Amino acid sequence: MATAKIRFSPCRFWAVVRKEFLQMRRDRVTFAMMLGIPVLQMVLFGYAINADPRHLPTAVLSADNGVFSRRIVAAMQNSSYFQLTRNVDSESAANRLIEIGDVQFVLNIPEQFSRRLMRGERPALLLTADATDPAATSHALAAFKTLTESALAGDLKGPLSHLQLTAAPLEVIVHPQFNPEANTRYNIVPGLMGVVLTMTLVIITALAITRERERGTMENLLSTPVRPLEVMFGKIIPYIIVGYLQMGFILLVSHFIFEVPMAGNLALLLAVSLLFIAANLGVGLTFSTLARNQLQAVQMAFFFFLPSILLSGFMFPFRGMPLWAQRIGEVFPLTHYLRIVRGVLLKGNGLTEIAPNLWPIAIFLFVALSIGLKRFRRTLE
Amino acid sequence: MIKHLPVIDVQNISKAFAGKTVVNKLSLQVRRGEIYGFLGPNGSGKTTFLRMLCGLLQPDAGSGVCLGHNLLTEVDQIKHRIGYMAQNFSLYEDLSVRENLDFMARIYAIKSRREVVAQTLERMELIPFAGQLAGTLSGGWKQRLALASCLLHEPELLLLDEPTAGVDPAARRDFWEQIYALTTQGISALISTHYMDEAERCHRVAYLAYGDLLTSGTAAEVIKKSGLITWSASGPGIQDLSERLKQQPGIKQVIPFGNTLHVCGTDGERFAESLRPFIADSSYRWEKIETGLEEVFVSLMSKREGGHSDGDS
């Protein structure tokens, strides 16, 4: 418009906000999505998904009934990684169990194992694993190596003490900070905050604006004195509130149900989250200007959502990805937000520590919002 | 506002989309209290023209004044004083009738919002539906709600884009009664329509095709300008008669109307010449009738189609 005087009317703005809340309340599916997605993800990621699986079914094929083999089997049980579910008496039966997936491991104890061990012959102990999914077996395998050593330590005394392992010439001290028990939930649950916000906010904003255009209500709206800025902020602010409600919910559940430590300043976290929420809304806005209908808007949101989740370090360790993937991952606001959330909650980071992750989100927000606003204006024509 | 000034006065307004001209140098005046009918085939530029008047689109060229405000620079002032009703129902289907009106009243920052909404519900007889979701209303009631919503802020000019499309005849009649009532209060209306009976209800009409204004004026003026003479013929086998008439020189068009044919020509002499042998044939009943708008518009379109191959845009 030639005379683009910026006169923001609180009355018109409030009218749009009110209307948006009314529609939100009436649209059961969207409402369910805003509430259901956080609940569902909390349950699934908090309870169902575990990167450190235990009680893996294990079969034992033992040809030795000596004290050492019994010790090792008992130690495996005690480690909680292995659960002895079967005793088999032939190698083919053992292989069969692995092939059909009934057991994850088969422990093969050869004949005369205990006797040969005492003689110092270093008998072999074979642990066969179904390593199709490396994540399922790697922790158990690592544990197995150490548990065999420590299991026998008590028995290798007196005349057998020469069989004891000699100590390494140095001592290694490992200090796993911030999450000493290696509790996956402590990492996943705070991360969920970012995932839930990305998922709902991008989709819902894209939908809310596309719907206005698809149904023709935008045309009606723009023939009134309402200004594009009032429409946009009026539509976006309700979803910022929704975003904060989701965050509050996740924080409460994290604290009271999953007992995630909250070492840092929550107010700081809530404040910087606004940047992240705005970045996602900017993406949603941009998608809404590109999509012709609501279906397309959802499809586009998924194109953003998938790489966000996969490359951000939410599910897989960020540093485990090849460099090119890390570079792409750095673009997404979720990557940085995850570091912020985990940093604040688990490490007690302050503003100085999270600052390096704030500006990439700010740049993203700036780019997304300027594309979105520019296109938003153009689509009004 | 001076009473006799036109509410709409545009000169040579043009608009093109992706290089395709949709409205071509259109000039038009609408007077205060007038119902101005806007006709033309689909894709003729009616909607685009209406959108330019209400500030949804910026004209590429030309100038105009709407309610005393410059169409190019004072869109915001114009928006406060017009009521626009889009072609498709464009209120919120998931809000109730009352919520929709309340929302629009807030958008227009109406001071005594509650009273105005209550009065509008009553005036438009929408009270029984006040709590109903707009999406569940029938076509006629949706249209009534849409009209109600663009009357809330007491506009001086209504821009109605095919307001009665898909609405049953009784609801259409009611609608026109309301429009008449409004114009007696000094409100002007620019209404696009496809219905000839509605065109005849307008004080003045304009016929638009492919962006060009082909004719305008009162119905009588438009008919007179066309110079068409019309005869109606009825009898057995008029299908066959129609084919034979079309071959004759001087006969411009033959339009079937149920069991009768409307046969038109412009050149009195040649037309009479061509018709004479057919009128002599006693198996048909011939009668000279008054030319209607429909005959005029069909004739205008057939003239245009010589130069245009592509129809819709």
Side-chain angles (χ1 to χ4, degrees), chain A residues 305-320:
Chain A
F305 185 59
L306 264 184
S308 277
I309 284 237
L310 296 178
L311 299 179
S312 64
F314 170 66
M315 292 177 88
F316 315 112
F318 189 79
R319 294 207 174 91

Side-chain angles (χ1 to χ4, degrees), chain B residues 67-121:
Chain B
L67 296 165
H69 294 291
N70 188 321
L71 201 54
L72 299 169
T73 56
E74 297 175 307
V75 178
D76 289 327
Q77 287 93 319
I78 295 174
K79 281 180 174 178
H80 281 280
R81 295 170 59 190
I82 56 158
Y84 171 66
M85 190 169 150
Q87 198 166 336
N88 300 314
F89 181 70
S90 54
L91 291 171
Y92 298 95
E93 303 212 334
D94 46 356
L95 296 190
S96 72
V97 169
R98 190 191 295 279
E99 285 162 350
N100 264 303
L101 292 179
D102 184 71
F103 171 67
M104 291 304 280
R106 283 172 191 268
I107 288 290
Y108 282 105
I110 293 171
K111 293 237 164 55
S112 44
R113 195 183 69 243
R114 272 171 231 277
E115 292 88 272
V116 169
V117 170
Q119 282 163 15
T120 308
L121 282 171

Side-chain angles (χ1 to χ4, degrees), chain A residues 75-314:
Chain A
M76 283 170 78
Q77 294 255 49
N78 286 340
S79 75
S80 82
Y81 279 105
F82 303 92
Q83 183 158 12
L84 301 183
T85 52
R86 296 285 189 94
N87 279 306
V88 285
D89 43 21
S90 75
E91 219 159 295
S92 61
N95 284 338
R96 186 77 193 131
L97 283 180
I98 287 221
E99 273 165 19
I100 60 177
D102 266 10
V103 295
Q104 192 87 34
F105 299 102
V106 173
L107 178 69
N108 195 336
I109 306 175
E111 271 178 58
Q112 309 279 325
F113 175 74
S114 300
R115 187 171 302 173
R116 290 175 60 204
L117 191 146
M118 281 191 285
R119 283 189 206 138
E121 289 176 22
R122 292 179 55 80
L125 197 59
L126 176 66
L127 183 70
T128 313
D130 173 2
T132 322
D133 179 2
T137 51
S138 59
H139 285 97
L141 291 177
F144 183 70
K145 281 188 190 134
T146 52
L147 75 86
T148 49
E149 287 160 13
S150 54
L152 302 185
D155 292 312
L156 299 175
K157 278 181 189 151
L160 296 175
S161 57
H162 65 282
L163 295 172
Q164 280 269 24
L165 278 182
T166 48
L170 68 144
E171 194 182 0
V172 178
I173 298 171
V174 179
H175 184 190
Q177 262 187 304
F178 311 123
N179 185 3
E181 292 152 48
N183 193 333
T184 321
R185 276 180 205 159
Y186 289 1
N187 190 40
I188 289 283
V189 172
L192 268 181
M193 208 145 72
V195 172
V196 166
L197 288 177
T198 304
M199 195 160 175
T200 44
L201 292 180
V202 171
I203 293 183
I204 291 174
T205 354
L207 279 182
I209 300 174
T210 312
R211 180 167 45 214
E212 292 258 3
R213 261 210 329 280
E214 197 183 1
R215 294 197 183 159
T217 49
M218 192 63 103
E219 183 179 350
N220 188 46
L221 212 51
L222 294 172
S223 72
T224 71
V226 79
R227 285 163 185 286
L229 223 57
E230 290 158 3
V231 177
M232 230 187 57
F233 281 114
K235 289 190 79 70
I236 277 180
I237 289 201
Y239 297 106
I240 291 187
I241 296 172
V242 169
Y244 270 110
L245 290 178
Q246 290 181 327
M247 272 178 68
F249 169 75
I250 296 172
L251 282 174
L252 286 176
V253 174
S254 306
H255 184 66
F256 289 107
I257 298 181
F258 295 114
E259 290 164 344
V260 174
M262 297 199 177
N265 186 344
L266 276 188
L268 173 72
L269 181 63
L270 290 175
V272 298
S273 295
L274 187 60
L275 195 66
F276 177 68
I277 290 175
N280 283 311
L281 295 174
V283 174
L285 175 72
T286 307
F287 286 162
S288 77
T289 64
L290 294 167
R292 288 217 190 86
N293 51 49
Q294 295 183 62
L295 178 64
Q296 281 189 357
V298 174
Q299 288 168 331
M300 285 180 193
F302 267 90
F303 270 103
F304 178 73
F305 185 59
L306 264 184
S308 277
I309 284 237
L310 296 178
L311 299 179
S312 64
F314 170 66

Side-chain angles (χ1 to χ4, degrees), chain A residues 49-86:
Chain A
I49 295 176
N50 187 355
D52 187 15
R54 305 207 173 206
H55 307 289
L56 298 165
T58 306
V60 177
L61 170 59
S62 181
D64 176 76
N65 203 19
V67 56
F68 293 114
S69 55
R70 286 202 310 272
R71 264 298 174 249
I72 286 172
V73 170
M76 283 170 78
Q77 294 255 49
N78 286 340
S79 75
S80 82
Y81 279 105
F82 303 92
Q83 183 158 12
L84 301 183
T85 52
R86 296 285 189 94

Side-chain angles (χ1 to χ4, degrees), chain B residues 121-154:
Chain B
L121 282 171
E122 192 173 338
R123 177 161 54 146
M124 303 299 277
E125 294 163 29
L126 282 163
I127 289 175
F129 306 102
Q132 198 174 324
L133 292 189
T136 62
L137 294 174
S138 69
W141 286 104
K142 272 187 185 168
Q143 174 237 41
R144 198 179 272 239
L145 170 61
L147 183 63
S149 87
C150 64
L151 291 174
L152 285 169
H153 59 296
E154 297 175 359

